[in-house]
DNA sequence: CCTTGACCTTCCAGTCATTGGAAGCCTTAT
DNA sequence: ATAAGGCTTCCAATGACTGGAAGGTCAAGG
């Protein structure tokens, strides 16, 4: 199997496979006499594992850990679970951050007429730093 | 006002102010005889605007548009609203993506015993590509 | 007057996970 | 023989910063 075949079989771009090899995420593939990389089905399985993990948003660093655990017969499921839950915590933090942004902007956009006039609460918020909301009376 | 003062006043790092200038997000500041950048309060206002917009997750590209609209007296609020809603749409798309990841992983982690044994549904999912979920019977 | 320390300047490099391109070699088919 | 397509390496770019090195400038204190 050449790198192109492995790419098709795993769903990971050939370019990306080389990159993963270069950063040490996957071990260096074998080579033909001409220098072409050669892949076995077990190496394709690793690539598929990596791809699925990326799809779930794991960082390369954590995927390295997961691959290590995957190939370690004496692993404990607790280790795997901890890595996964650490990632979930990061995802939730990011979601909360984006949620706050979206809610604020949605609120502002709702208050904006969206017509041909220049007056706009969105710009007013950006101008004032969002410190004083239009709905809260001054103390 | 030197760049350090402007940084304190705006909340934007001096290094970042230079970066914003280098990419053309803000116009080049005036200079003293010695070459130090000089800022007026109106320039600090622009920096604050940019900072607030970044806090809301706007890209530099969109902030450029927003600053332009902000300083355009003949703008229509509709234009501003469209930029904001485009961004909200992107935020929501990203949130949905992260939500899906988090939910999948939370589900898998829940199914994982998290003890000293090696058996782990999380690794099984990564291995199999998440294609066949444990709870769905085969057709 | 000189030094110290805090500022300012520019430029270069690295982050993260890719993606793109250029230049050149190898294999297969016509 | 040649053309197409795949493979190789290396370099550069993405977005939005952040860090550091090397050197110039300014105000205060000895």
């Amino acid at each position: 199997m050449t790198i192109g075949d492995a790419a098709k079989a795993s769903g990971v771009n050939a370019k990306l496979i080389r990159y993963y090899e270069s950063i040490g995420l996957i071990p260096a593939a074998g080579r033909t006499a001409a220098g072409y990389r050669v892949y076995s089905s077990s190496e394709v399985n690793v690539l598929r594992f990596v791809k699925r993990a990326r799809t779930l948003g794991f960082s390369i660093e954590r995927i390295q850990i997961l691959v290590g655990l995957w190939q370690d017969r004496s692993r404990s499921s607790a280790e795997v679970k901890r890595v996964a839950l650490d990632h979930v915590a990061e995802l939730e933090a990011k979601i909360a951050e984006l949620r706050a942004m979206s809610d604020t902007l949605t609120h502002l956009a709702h208050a904006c007429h969206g017509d041909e006039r220049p007056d706009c609460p969105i710009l007013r918020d950006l101008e004032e730093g969002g410190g004083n909301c239009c709905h809260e009376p001054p103390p």
Side-chain angles (χ1 to χ4, degrees), chain A:
Chain A
M1 253 179 149
T2 67
I3 198 170
D5 300 326
K8 266 172 226 150
S10 66
V12 180
N13 198 331
K15 206 115 194 182
L16 206 39
I17 297 177
R18 286 190 204 103
Y19 169 71
Y20 286 160
E21 183 184 310
S22 80
I23 61 169
L25 174 58
I26 56 175
R31 300 281 180 137
T32 67
Y36 282 25
R37 286 177 181 79
V38 183
Y39 295 86
S40 67
S41 65
S42 75
E43 279 159 296
V44 168
N45 280 340
V46 174
L47 287 170
R48 263 203 289 261
F49 184 99
V50 169
K51 170 150 184 108
R52 172 66 175 156
R54 285 295 300 140
T55 300
L56 290 176
F58 282 102
S59 68
I60 299 288
E61 199 182 345
R62 281 216 176 94
I63 293 175
Q64 226 143 8
I65 297 170
L66 288 173
V67 171
L69 289 171
W70 183 39
Q71 291 171 349
D72 176 9
R73 280 157 184 269
S74 70
R75 70 180 171 250
S76 67
S77 62
E79 290 176 275
V80 180
K81 189 168 182 171
R82 189 162 34 75
V83 173
L85 289 181
D86 283 354
H87 181 45
V88 166
E90 279 174 23
L91 287 170
E92 290 298 329
K94 190 77 194 168
I95 288 167
E97 191 189 335
L98 300 183
R99 179 83 275 148
M101 292 174 180
S102 183
D103 286 353
T104 299
L105 266 172
T106 300
H107 177 75
L108 289 169
H110 187 73
C112 173
H113 288 93
D115 55 20
E116 78 289 347
R117 288 170 297 173
D119 182 57
C120 176
I122 300 167
L123 291 181
R124 272 206 303 277
D125 177 279
L126 290 171
E127 203 167 354
E128 296 163 12
N132 42 358
C133 179
C134 46
H135 294 310
E136 286 169 42

